[in-house]
Amino acid sequence: SYVLTQPPSVSVAPGQTARITCGGNNIGYKSVHWYQQKPGQAPVLVVSDDSDRPSGIPERLSGTNSENTATLTISRVEAGDEADYYCQVWDSISDCLVFGGGTKLTVL
Amino acid sequence: QLQLRESGPGLVKPSETLSLTCTVSGGSISTSSYYWGWIRQTPGKGLEWIGSINYSGSTYYNPSLKSRVTISVDTSKNHFSLNLSSLTAADTAVFYCARRTGLLSFDYWGQGTLVTVSS
């Protein structure tokens, strides 16, 4: 089955830029979605189809996808960005919707 | 505003079958534009897709769970349901229902319901 690899944790100071990666074989050919999950809450879709932001998601969050790595970038990080972030794709070979293992973003 | 709400038992015994329902409000489940899905999250761990269904009953399941999963829809009640059989402690998780878009992302989620498998 298709595997998505995320770093378990990323730490960044307020005002800096956080980059959260999602690795997968030829992931650049897939549509990648990103979710933010705060403690005790359901995930929230923050980036769809590699780089589209749903309504209400700040422009500080952006996504890219190329070759074997998709990246969620959070600019001018705020304390409120502290959360777990998950990437997700559809794998047509295994007919399975796959999530990455998640990355905990800590704002120092 | 579309809302989804999961309902069902919080405690189930090993070897039994879990039944959960997701009630959709603020919109119709009978739209060809979307599928409706179940996702679970084990304590302290990540997300796992269980399966999805559309308004006409077309389903697709995670291959790793397919032998134990049945998802059904009742358009008259605007809800869809999950049955997961042969439960073990490893199935203890928060179960979410969500709306799946045409791009295969989930844009609306329920608040989740914790199901514990224990005797």
Side-chain angles (χ1 to χ4, degrees):
Chain A
S1 62
Y2 193 77
V3 176
L4 294 174
T5 302
Q6 297 183 238
S9 63
V10 168
S11 299
V12 64
Q16 299 303 303
T17 297
R19 293 179 179 84
I20 298 171
T21 59
C22 176
N25 186 39
N26 289 320
I27 195 174
Y29 290 104
K30 299 182 183 299
S31 178
V32 180
H33 314 293
W34 290 92
Y35 302 87
Q36 176 193 72
Q37 186 180 33
K38 296 183 178 179
Q41 298 182 19
V44 173
L45 180 67
V46 293
V47 169
S48 176
D49 195 20
D50 296 343
S51 59
D52 291 337
R53 276 184 308 278
S55 174
I57 303 302
E59 293 183 6
R60 300 185 299 105
L61 279 70
S62 61
T64 59
N65 185 18
S66 179
E67 298 184 351
N68 294 309
T69 304
T71 303
L72 174 68
T73 300
I74 307 173
S75 304
R76 303 182 299 282
V77 166
E78 304 171 356
D81 297 325
E82 193 163 276
D84 294 327
Y85 291 84
Y86 295 89
C87 58
Q88 176 244 305
V89 301
W90 168 256
D91 179 43
S92 58
I93 294 178
S94 61
D95 271 349
C96 191
L97 197 147
V98 180
F99 287 94
T103 297
K104 181 176 181 59
L105 175 65
T106 299
V107 181
L108 301 171
Chain B
Q1 175 79 349
L2 191 75
Q3 291 186 324
L4 294 84
R5 187 179 75 251
E6 305 89 352
S7 59
L11 179 65
V12 189
K13 290 181 168 54
S15 80
E16 293 189 342
T17 295
L18 169 66
S19 294
L20 295 176
T21 295
C22 180
T23 301
V24 179
S25 59
S28 175
I29 204 171
S30 299
T31 169
S32 60
S33 301
Y34 301 102
Y35 269 67
W36 306 88
W38 289 98
I39 301 104
R40 70 178 181 179
Q41 184 169 34
T42 50
K45 295 194 177 178
L47 301 164
E48 181 180 34
W49 171 69
I50 299 170
S52 297
I53 191 168
N54 73 354
Y55 74 101
S56 67
S58 177
T59 56
Y60 61 114
Y61 301 130
N62 186 324
S64 69
L65 297 169
K66 187 174 183 177
S67 64
R68 299 196 291 133
V69 174
T70 302
I71 297 176
S72 59
V73 65
D74 187 335
T75 56
S76 68
K77 296 180 180 178
N78 221 39
H79 75 206
F80 60 105
S81 300
L82 167 70
N83 278 3
L84 181 64
S85 64
S86 304
L87 294 172
T88 70
D91 292 310
T92 293
V94 174
F95 286 77
Y96 295 99
C97 61
R99 187 178 79 170
R100 197 221 74 185
T101 72
L103 291 172
L104 305 178
S105 63
F106 292 101
D107 60 350
Y108 285 91
W109 294 64
Q111 82 279 7
T113 186
L114 174 62
V115 176
T116 301
V117 180
S118 175
S119 55

